[in-house]
């Protein structure tokens, strides 16, 4: 059976995970069950009326502000994040070292429309937001919004980590950082899903039935949340830094609200077909190939301590052999947790997001755990749990909104037939037909609104400032060709290329060239030349 597919995931966090930061408890808005797609809210409505959807570009910024004037008129009740307890000490120390006063970081909760496409629907959701003041002149600073990817990842935690990213000081001196947890995620009216089944379609259906907000978690709804936040912030235009799936949120915003789009960087980009079956298969292939390349590079890697990496394998066949060994005789933690062949696949996939030194550390730990004592095995299992690169059920529901209404099964079949599956995911006993049974997953059809987001192409031809799309040639999570396609789809955009590996090119310690280009664009408005290319730093 084909292995489970890791998700797009996010930039590697630079701070430990926190619970909800907004002061005071967030309460789920009282909601009635959501109507199915196209259902009318009243029997008296014209029988020919067609329900609008949030991806409708005709529902522009002026329309939204007019029809949801009450939400646009709300005041933000800012308070120190974390209530009276403040941040944990590690946050305080790390942020203070880069010139950020933790006492000046503020959190709040604002209301947003449950369904931005229907002004008659008075239900609302809570959005948890955060604001980090600029270290520069407060009279000159302007908001910078962003999203780390996933989907399903906290934007509040992402924003807290931004000041610690390499090369970010010039950005922080020019911008106030605004972050928010997307609806249904983190502290923003989060989903509450419990299920005893492992059947994906059933698990999704149960979660959707229990959470009305699930019907309105598509990227277009989140982009409309972001448009309201832009208005509440007082900014004339939305400046934005998004990674991975966050590039889809940025591209959606630029398509819906081109007149309000400011400077926008879309790093490690996907394109409008990101949630399709063929893209999921393509990512699986990319992860497998990147794993083989990481194995081959292991003898040259150096750990964070400066020592040569200890290699558990040096080629793809070595990965396959270790996977078979672990399937037959898993490593067992002190608490009974097993590390088997599938655990190895997930551990390797997670390791690909790290720097060369991070990769060396992971491979060395894996090598030691297969030959050392219990303590090392426990350390491996703990690290595997921490670095697991999967999208949770909230992220799956977000993706389902962008799952094509008419899945191209034949295109997937042709691609599988023409592609050699990497050894990391291959099962010699599995036929192409068996593989297709696993890959042709139509579980998203349990969501009535599946496919109502933008699924064909974006259009940012009317934005004032060209959008900067960034792609890494060896990106395992969002393949470089998708960045090229997104640049073409947007229209008024340029592509900045980093010739290297990993995920997340800018402000990640990979390339001072990429950081400088991104800084000049965000701070000074200098658009990179079309076709501009950067290389990794020698130690990256």
């Amino acid at each position: 059976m084909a292995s489970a597919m890791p998700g797009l995931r996010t930039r590697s966090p630079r701070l430990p995970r926190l619970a909800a930061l907004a002061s005071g408890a967030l309460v789920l808005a009282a909601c009635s069950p959501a109507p199915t797609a196209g259902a009318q809210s009243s029997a008296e409505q014209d029988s020919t009326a067609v329900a609008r959807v949030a991806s409708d570009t005709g529902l522009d910024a002026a329309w939204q502000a007019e029809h949801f004037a009450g939400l646009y008129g709300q005041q933000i009740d800012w308070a120190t994040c974390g209530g009276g307890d403040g941040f944990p000490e590690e946050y305080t120390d790390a942020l203070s070292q880069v010139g950020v006063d933790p006492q000046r970081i503020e959190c709040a909760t604002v209301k947003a429309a449950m369904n931005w496409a229907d002004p008659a629907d008075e239900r609302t959701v809570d959005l948890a937001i955060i604001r980090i003041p600029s270290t520069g002149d407060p009279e000159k600073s302007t908001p910078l919004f962003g999203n780390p990817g996933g989907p399903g990842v906290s934007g509040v935690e992402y924003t807290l980590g931004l000041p610690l990213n390499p090369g970010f000081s010039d950005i922080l001196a020019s911008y106030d950082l605004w972050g928010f947890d997307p609806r249904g995620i983190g502290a923003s009216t989060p989903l509450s899903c419990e299920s005893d089944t492992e059947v994906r379609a059933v698990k999704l259906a149960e979660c959707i039935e229990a959470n009305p907000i699930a019907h309105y978690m598509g990227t277009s709804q989140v982009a409309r949340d972001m448009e309201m936040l832009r208005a509440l912030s007082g900014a004339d235009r939305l400046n934005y830094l998004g990674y991975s799936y966050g590039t889809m949120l940025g591209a959606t915003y630029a398509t819906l609200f081109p007149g309000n789009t400011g400077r926008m960087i879309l790093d490690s980009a996907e394109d409008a077909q990101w949630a399709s079956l063929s893209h999921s298969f393509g990512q699986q292939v990319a992860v497998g190939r990147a794993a083989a390349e990481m194995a081959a590079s292991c003898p040259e890697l150096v750990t964070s301590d400066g020592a040569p990496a200890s290699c558990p394998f040096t080629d793809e066949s070595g990965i396959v052999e270790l996977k078979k060994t672990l399937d037959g005789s898993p490593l067992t933690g002190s608490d009974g947790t097993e590390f088997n062949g599938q655990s190895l696949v997930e551990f390797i996939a997670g390791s690909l997001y790290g720097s060369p030194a991070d990769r060396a550390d992971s491979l060395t730990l894996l090598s030691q755990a297969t030959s050392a004592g219990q303590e090392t095995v426990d350390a491996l299992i703990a690290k595997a749990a921490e670095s697991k690169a999967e999208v949770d059920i909230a992220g799956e529901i977000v993706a389902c909104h962008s799952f094509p209404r008419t899945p191209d099964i034949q295109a997937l079949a042709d691609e599988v037939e023409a592609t050699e599956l990497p050894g990391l995911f291959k099962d010699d006993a599995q036929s192409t037909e068996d593989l297709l049974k696993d890959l042709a997953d139509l579980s998203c059809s349990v969501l009535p609104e599946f496919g109502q987001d933008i699924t064909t192409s974006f259009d940012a031809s009317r934005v004032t400032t060209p959008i900067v799309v960034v792609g890494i040639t060896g990106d395992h999570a969002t393949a470089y060709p998708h960045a090229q396609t997104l640049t073409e789809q947007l229209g008024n955009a340029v592509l900045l290329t980093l010739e290297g590996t990993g995920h997340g090119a800018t402000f990640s310690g990979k390339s001072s060239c990429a950081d400088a280009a991104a800084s000049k664009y965000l701070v000074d408005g200098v658009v990179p030349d079309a076709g501009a290319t950067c290389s990794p730093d020698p130690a990256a």
Side-chain angles (χ1 to χ4, degrees):
M1 180 176 178
S3 302
M5 187 59 226
L8 295 185
R9 205 184 173 202
T10 176
R11 288 279 306 280
S12 298
R14 296 187 176 274
L15 289 172
R17 295 186 66 82
L18 284 180
L21 292 168
S23 58
L26 297 181
V27 181
L28 180 65
C31 305
S32 58
T36 57
Q40 297 178 20
S41 59
S42 170
E44 287 75 29
Q45 284 185 305
D46 184 347
S47 61
T48 63
V50 177
R52 285 178 145 176
V53 295
S55 60
D56 185 346
T57 56
L59 310 182
D60 61 13
W63 179 92
Q64 181 166 305
E66 176 187 352
H67 287 82
F68 296 92
L71 293 171
Y72 274 66
Q74 66 186 302
Q75 298 297 311
I76 302 179
D77 186 14
W78 293 107
T80 301
C81 295
D85 296 331
F87 293 107
E89 185 176 352
E90 63 265 34
Y91 276 76
T92 301
D93 292 344
L95 292 169
S96 296
Q97 289 175 11
V98 293
V100 176
D101 181 358
Q103 296 301 315
R104 297 183 62 214
I105 301 176
E106 298 176 306
C107 289
T109 302
V110 297
K111 297 290 185 182
M114 172 74 85
N115 180 10
W116 285 110
D118 183 6
D121 187 342
E122 297 182 352
R123 295 173 298 170
T124 60
V125 300
D126 290 324
L127 298 181
I129 62 175
I130 187 171
R131 178 175 65 180
I132 301 178
S134 170
T135 56
D137 186 347
E139 298 298 322
K140 296 181 180 179
S141 60
T142 188
L144 177 68
F145 291 84
N147 181 278
V153 179
S154 167
V156 169
E157 292 183 18
Y158 157 76
T159 304
L160 269 174
L162 279 178
L164 305 183
N165 288 349
F168 203 76
S169 58
D170 287 346
I171 309 302
L172 190 57
S174 301
Y175 287 95
D176 297 324
L177 307 183
W178 282 59
F180 68 103
D181 286 349
R183 51 176 56 211
I185 293 160
S188 292
T189 311
L191 295 179
S192 178
C193 301
E194 296 182 4
S195 179
D196 296 325
T197 182
E198 292 301 316
V199 180
R200 181 171 181 249
V202 176
K203 187 181 297 185
L204 285 170
E206 291 176 346
C207 185
I208 292 165
E209 183 177 4
N211 296 271
I213 192 176
H215 296 272
Y216 308 102
M217 285 175 60
T219 307
S220 297
Q221 296 280 4
V222 180
R224 292 183 178 279
D225 291 338
M226 200 156 60
E227 166 58 11
M228 181 193 72
L229 291 175
R230 177 207 61 78
L232 294 179
S233 76
D236 293 332
R237 296 181 185 277
L238 183 126
N239 300 306
Y240 181 85
L241 174 61
Y243 295 90
S244 196
Y245 161 77
T247 65
M248 299 296 87
L249 177 56
T252 299
Y253 180 92
T255 299
L256 295 176
F257 308 111
N260 290 342
T261 302
R263 298 169 188 174
M264 182 173 284
I265 293 180
L266 306 180
D267 189 334
S268 299
E270 256 287 358
D271 61 37
Q273 292 80 42
W274 69 277
S276 67
L277 295 174
S278 59
H279 272 229
S280 296
F281 174 66
Q283 188 192 15
Q284 183 165 325
V285 172
V287 168
R289 290 172 178 170
E293 292 171 2
M294 181 174 68
S297 70
C298 184
E300 284 78 47
L301 294 177
V302 178
T303 68
S304 56
D305 294 331
S310 177
C311 302
F313 37 67
T314 56
D315 56 23
E316 186 177 58
S317 63
I319 298 176
V320 174
E321 286 305 311
L322 180 57
K323 182 174 180 290
K324 290 179 179 178
T325 298
L326 290 171
D327 278 333
S329 181
L331 300 173
T332 304
S334 298
D335 62 354
T337 302
E338 287 192 348
F339 188 92
N340 55 26
Q342 179 58 27
S343 304
L344 175 68
V345 172
E346 294 170 354
F347 181 74
I348 291 173
S351 299
L352 292 172
Y353 288 89
S355 67
D358 293 333
R359 294 182 176 193
D361 290 342
S362 295
L363 292 174
T364 296
L365 180 59
L366 177 61
S367 178
Q368 293 172 345
T370 57
S371 58
Q374 188 64 53
E375 185 176 344
T376 310
V377 172
D378 289 342
L380 173 65
I381 291 173
K383 187 175 181 65
E386 176 186 313
S387 60
K388 200 170 183 179
E390 287 188 342
V391 171
D392 63 12
I393 194 163
E396 289 187 41
I397 288 174
V398 174
C400 282
H401 283 272
S402 292
F403 187 78
R405 201 74 185 174
T406 306
D408 196 340
I409 301 294
Q410 187 58 54
L412 173 66
D414 293 343
E415 190 170 353
V416 170
E417 187 69 35
T419 304
E420 177 68 22
L421 195 66
L424 184 65
F425 298 105
K426 184 184 296 184
D427 182 345
D428 292 335
Q430 187 178 43
S431 67
T432 300
E433 184 173 345
D434 291 333
L435 181 59
L436 280 171
K437 289 179 182 178
D438 294 331
L439 294 171
D441 185 347
L442 304 181
S443 300
C444 280
S445 62
V446 301
L447 176 72
E449 297 80 12
F450 87 93
Q452 288 187 0
D453 262 327
I454 298 171
T455 61
T456 54
S457 184
F458 298 107
D459 179 10
S461 59
R462 293 184 292 144
V463 301
T464 302
T465 303
I467 294 171
V468 175
V469 178
V470 185
I472 304 177
T473 54
D475 193 331
H476 64 282
T478 52
Y480 178 70
H482 300 330
Q484 295 174 305
T485 302
L486 179 62
T487 305
E488 296 173 358
Q489 289 179 349
L490 289 171
N492 192 6
V494 298
L495 176 63
L496 173 65
T497 299
L498 174 58
E499 296 180 333
T501 59
H503 189 59
T506 60
F507 311 119
S508 61
K510 290 184 176 68
S511 171
S512 55
C513 167
D515 293 348
S519 293
K520 289 179 181 178
Y521 173 75
L522 287 176
V523 175
D524 301 318
V526 178
V527 180
D529 293 335
T533 301
C534 286
S535 298
D537 293 339

